[in-house]
Structure formats: C-alpha cells, structure tokens
Amino acid sequence: MTITVTPKAAGKIRQALDKRGGGVGLRVAVRTSGCSGYAYALEFADAALPEDLSFACEGGVTLLVDAQSLPMLDGTELDWVREGLNEGFRFHNPNATATCGCGESFAV
C-alpha cells in the first residue's frame, strides 16, 4: 500500500514545515464527514503516533497515515493545484467512487 505526492505538493509541504519551524511530516487521514460520506484531513505532525504508518515521498517529505485510513487512501496521489485565485491540495484517489459537488467529500 502506498500514497505519493507530486513535486509541487512536496514543495508546499516542505515550505510549510520550514515556515512553522519543523515537524516530521504531514498527517493524512480520512474522517467520516460530508455529503458523500468521507473527507480528507490534513495536519502537520511534530511526532509520529503509534498508529501511524510512515511514507517517505518526493523531495524528502514524509506522510503519516493511520492504519484505518490507509485502505481508503491506497494509491492516492496528493497534488498542489492552482485554479484561478484558489490554490490548495488535491487528492487523486483511485478508490473514490463518487465525490460531492463541492469536492470536499468522497465515497468509497
């Protein structure tokens, strides 16, 4: 099982970690939420939790994923996109069978 980041996403993660003064990486999780059932949750991590699985990614970035979220994230690519005035992380998740209109939640 794996999760990857694009070079743009890795650069933004590294930039944010440097700006906040450090951290071990970005924690990626799936939470029950939204109109489609699940939503992605991101937070910068200062330490790995016992339930975290660690993935060394592009640009020396580490992603931490809990074992419960990993099956829903397996094969996912995390990207950084800019659309007009908006920019942010975008998940390319091959396990998602549907997404809501706002793009905030997904179903598996």
Side-chain angles (χ1 to χ4, degrees):
M1 294 194 167
T2 187
I3 182 170
T4 59
V5 297
T6 64
K8 280 186 183 179
K12 290 296 181 179
I13 294 167
R14 174 65 35 222
Q15 183 180 38
L17 286 169
D18 290 345
K19 185 176 180 179
R20 70 187 294 272
V24 297
L26 181 67
R27 183 172 289 111
V28 182
V30 174
R31 305 282 184 245
T32 302
S33 177
C35 53
S36 292
Y38 297 103
Y40 301 106
L42 299 173
E43 69 177 356
F44 292 101
D46 291 321
L49 300 174
E51 63 271 15
D52 286 335
L53 301 168
S54 180
F55 295 89
C57 297
E58 175 83 27
V61 170
T62 298
L63 296 183
L64 303 169
V65 181
D66 65 272
Q68 262 188 316
S69 296
L70 187 56
M72 290 183 269
L73 294 171
D74 185 32
T76 295
E77 178 185 67
L78 182 59
D79 195 6
W80 181 267
V81 296
R82 172 177 263 161
E83 293 175 341
L85 297 175
N86 299 317
E87 63 181 349
F89 289 109
R90 172 155 310 146
F91 291 84
H92 301 284
N93 186 344
N95 304 301
T97 58
T99 57
C100 69
C102 65
E104 293 298 318
S105 64
F106 67 100
V108 285

